[in-house]
Amino acid sequence: MGVMIVVGLAVIAATIVGRLGGKTEEPEPAVTMSLAPGAPLTTFDPATVPLPAGSRLQQIVPAGDRLVLHLAGEGGRNVLMVLDMAGGRVLGSFLLEPAQ
C-alpha cells in the first residue's frame, strides 16, 4: 500500500513539473492541406451556389478537387452537397433523412 502511495505521488509530481515546464501540445488541425513548394495559388471567378430554402450551413469539407457542404434543413433533414471547386458548380447532392 505504501508503494502505491509513493508511485501515485511521483506521477502527480511529474505531471505538475511537466505542465510548469512550459510544454504545451498544439492541437491537431481538423483539416490539413499541403501545397507543392513554389506552386502559385490560382484565381477563380465568383460562383453562386443555390442552397435549399430554410437550410443552414453546418460544415465545409474539402475532398480533392471537390468541396462537400453539410447543410442542416428543417425537420431534421440534412443535405450533403458536392461542389466542383474549379468551376463552382453543383455536382450533386445527397438528402439524409432521419430513420423512422
Side-chain angles (χ1 to χ4, degrees):
M1 185 66 141
V3 173
M4 290 177 63
I5 292 173
V6 171
V7 171
L9 289 175
V11 169
I12 292 172
T15 302
I16 292 172
V17 169
R19 290 185 182 176
L20 292 177
K23 296 180 184 177
T24 57
E25 293 183 15
E26 293 292 324
E28 289 291 321
V31 176
T32 58
M33 295 177 54
S34 61
L35 297 173
L41 295 175
T42 59
T43 59
F44 57 91
D45 293 328
T48 302
V49 178
L51 300 179
S55 64
R56 290 177 295 128
L57 183 61
Q58 293 291 102
Q59 185 177 19
I60 300 173
V61 180
D65 62 346
R66 297 181 177 173
L67 198 63
V68 179
L69 305 179
H70 174 205
L71 306 167
E74 297 173 349
R77 297 172 64 130
N78 290 302
V79 176
L80 298 178
M81 186 179 289
V82 181
L83 305 175
D84 173 31
M85 284 202 288
R89 63 187 171 87
V90 177
L91 298 176
S93 60
F94 299 95
L95 176 61
L96 307 176
E97 294 184 356
Q100 297 183 20

